[in-house]
Amino acid sequence: MKTRVTELLGIEYPIIQGGMAWVADHHIAAAVSEAGGLGLIAAANAPAEWVREQIREAKKLTDKPFGVNIMLMSPSADEVAKIVVEEGIKVVTTGAGSPEKYMEEWKAAGVKVIPVVASVALARRMERCGADAVVAEGTESGGHIGETTTMALVPQVVDAVKIPVIAAGGIAAAFMLGAEAVQMGTRFVATEECNVHENYKQFLLKARDIDTRVTGRTTGHPVRTLRNPMTKEYLEKEAAGASFEELEMLTLGGLRKAVVDGDVKTGSVMSGQIAGMVKDVPACKDLMARLMAETKEAVKKNSFLVEE
Ligand code: TUI
């Protein structure tokens, strides 16, 4: 499969891995790239030197291109922005903000910049300041989210910008909406190469379509996770008008607790609404082959839509 995105990134399949704070280290990034997609190391809130080490470790595992995802609210973001250039990283995706202030330096260094956006307005702004593509991420995604669904967001972003659009999730459908690649996060958590705690994987495998919740709608930081005793308490307190500080206490360090300690009861088990479809833990390479075969099949099955 060839699209502007596979050409831009020099990858075999039009699939890029989601950022995934605490989850996406050099193991999964290298595995996804080795499997023919674009793997990414998630800088998240980690110290910049950790990111440098991860980049060097990933290089030992793969000669294929991989990228770094920069969470723009991180206190280390400025430093990480420099480190990606120093380490010769060729692709950066960004989340939770606008990467405008880094654009000039990255473009000068030949870094391809792919901001993750949740609105048409930000997609337009990103195109104007030199982004090479955008990821349109709908509200069904895991983690920090916007309001609009992927089904509505993707075609509107496709119409608003000339640069390629990468949809978050829904491969075959995404192409029908005009996207030229997809980003996947949740599906990659349940892979052999993903280093999350076994409890996280098992909790994800058990989840159904209705099992995600969004905390923080009232605080301005909506985050989608699998429902658990933490989300129950959070949503009850949020509805009762608890203070910002009291609510923050419930999620502070929650992602680490879930990913590293395997605490799926009080931790933040971030996941998209697609959790209900995740039923096994394949190797990235097998997953990728299966995804491409399923996509082909889905397109073929719907060929009645096309007149001979
Ligand atoms: O960034 C993400 N998803 C994330 S980041 C993350 S780390 C985190 N952990 C705990 C609490 C908060 C974050 C986990 N998941 N996706 C991309 C994304 N970006 N979704 C929404 C946005 C976004 C929202 C507002 C981007 C820009 C924005 O406003 C920027 C502006 O300046 O207008």
Side-chain angles (χ1 to χ4, degrees):
M1 232 172 143
K2 233 183 190 183
T3 70
R4 285 190 292 168
V5 175
T6 58
E7 298 292 289
L8 177 76
L9 303 176
I11 54 179
E12 193 178 348
Y13 303 121
I15 295 179
I16 80 168
Q17 175 222 307
M20 300 190 290
W22 281 102
V23 173
D25 63 8
H26 69 275
H27 292 104
I28 184 87
V32 173
S33 288
E34 274 293 297
L38 182 81
L40 291 121
I41 292 159
N45 277 313
E49 283 308 316
W50 178 87
V51 180
R52 193 195 298 279
E53 279 165 35
Q54 292 295 311
I55 293 170
R56 292 182 177 177
E57 290 302 313
K59 282 178 187 163
K60 291 180 193 167
L61 297 178
T62 185
D63 294 324
K64 302 218 167 127
F66 64 89
V68 172
N69 170 269
I70 304 184
M71 213 278 280
L72 295 164
M73 294 193 306
S74 164
S76 324
D78 286 351
E79 258 184 282
V80 175
K82 284 199 185 69
I83 280 176
V84 293
V85 173
E86 288 166 12
E87 296 296 320
I89 288 293
K90 291 293 170 225
V91 195
V92 163
T93 67
T94 63
S98 164
E100 264 149 307
K101 65 172 173 170
Y102 307 124
M103 221 59 164
E104 204 177 319
E105 186 187 352
W106 286 342
K107 301 302 293 182
V111 178
K112 308 277 193 308
V113 187
I114 309 182
V116 178
V117 304
S119 70
V120 166
L122 191 60
R124 281 211 174 96
R125 236 168 83 199
M126 295 300 95
E127 178 174 57
R128 271 203 306 274
C129 74
D132 294 280
V134 289
V135 176
E137 202 179 85
T139 194
E140 64 269 54
S141 293
H144 181 54
I145 49 170
E147 281 290 343
T148 310
T149 62
T150 299
M151 183 80 91
L153 181 66
V154 171
Q156 294 185 76
V157 172
V158 166
D159 283 355
V161 298
K162 293 194 176 70
I163 53 176
V165 176
I166 299 164
I171 308 179
F175 281 94
M176 298 303 288
L177 298 175
E180 295 181 61
V182 291
Q183 171 190 265
M184 299 195 320
T186 304
R187 176 63 267 202
F188 281 125
V189 174
T191 57
E192 282 177 9
E193 293 92 342
C194 185
N195 264 342
V196 298
H197 195 284
E198 187 57 26
N199 293 355
Y200 200 125
K201 289 187 191 177
Q202 291 304 320
F203 201 55
L204 175 59
L205 293 175
K206 282 201 214 89
R208 298 163 300 167
D209 55 344
I210 53 171
D211 286 338
T212 72
R213 293 291 182 273
V214 178
T215 56
R217 285 204 195 277
T218 59
T219 66
H221 290 114
V223 170
R224 186 178 302 282
T225 62
L226 294 179
R227 73 185 175 94
N228 64 4
M230 182 281 287
T231 60
K232 186 165 189 291
E233 187 180 352
Y234 190 108
L235 291 168
E236 283 166 6
K237 285 192 166 152
E238 195 173 28
S243 70
F244 178 81
E245 287 73 23
E246 198 181 345
L247 293 173
E248 283 288 291
M249 282 291 288
L250 288 171
T251 55
L252 196 68
L255 189 56
R256 181 187 193 285
K257 265 198 282 188
V259 173
V260 181
D261 307 336
D263 180 352
V264 296
K265 291 201 163 66
T266 72
S268 292
V269 194
M270 292 188 188
S271 165
Q273 289 182 335
I274 206 66
M277 279 189 89
V278 179
K279 294 288 172 222
D280 57 1
V281 186
C284 284
K285 201 169 179 333
D286 298 332
L287 172 63
M288 204 71 91
R290 193 206 296 173
L291 289 169
M292 294 320 293
E294 284 174 1
T295 302
K296 237 180 172 170
E297 197 53 40
V299 172
K300 210 159 71 185
K301 228 166 59 189
N302 289 297
S303 58
F304 62 83
L305 290 169
V306 183
E307 275 179 46
E308 286 302 319

